[in-house]
Amino acid sequence: MTASLSRTRAMLCEILAIRALSAHAHNMLELALAITTSWPVYSGAPQELVDRAREERDGDLEERIGNAIEMAILAQAKRFTNSSACQKVIDWIWRYGFYTGLI
């Protein structure tokens, strides 16, 4: 039961992220910043998740940063990475060599 609930929540988050990106689709700089700005990965996560991640990774979680593209790839959020707004930024990164920490 919790697995299906988690999948549903993940799908909803992915849809909301796609819609949030589309709000920036008219401006390439805003779109690129929205997708590639780095932030602490575990910021705002429940304490149980932080504790479990700390045990599994034997490290300082505050040092772990990421961006929307990286998180979407790791989470296999195909709807997000295939969205036109995300593809626009990915194509731009490959075409112009914009560094995001992924390549």
Side-chain angles (χ1 to χ4, degrees):
M1 171 118 175
T2 59
S4 62
L5 179 60
S6 292
R7 276 193 301 276
T8 302
R9 285 180 180 160
M11 287 171 45
L12 178 60
C13 287
E14 189 175 6
I15 290 167
L16 291 173
I18 292 167
R19 289 194 178 180
L21 282 185
S22 66
H24 299 285
H26 65 283
N27 183 318
M28 190 59 190
L29 180 58
E30 283 183 20
L31 185 59
L33 287 173
I35 293 180
T36 61
T37 297
S38 295
W39 39 267
V41 172
Y42 292 97
S43 177
Q47 191 58 45
E48 310 86 60
L49 177 65
V50 173
D51 293 342
R52 189 173 69 207
R54 209 171 253 130
E55 286 175 15
E56 290 175 3
R57 289 182 173 57
D58 284 337
D60 192 13
L61 298 183
E62 288 74 26
E63 299 290 320
R64 179 73 175 111
I65 60 169
N67 60 49
I69 291 177
E70 181 182 29
M71 295 307 295
I73 291 168
L74 291 173
Q76 299 177 359
K78 293 179 176 116
R79 223 178 284 126
F80 180 84
T81 55
N82 289 336
S83 70
S84 61
C86 191
Q87 281 299 306
K88 198 179 202 182
V89 174
I90 291 170
D91 291 344
W92 187 60
I93 290 168
W94 283 107
R95 188 171 299 136
Y96 300 108
F98 181 73
Y99 180 74
T100 64
L102 293 175
I103 56 175

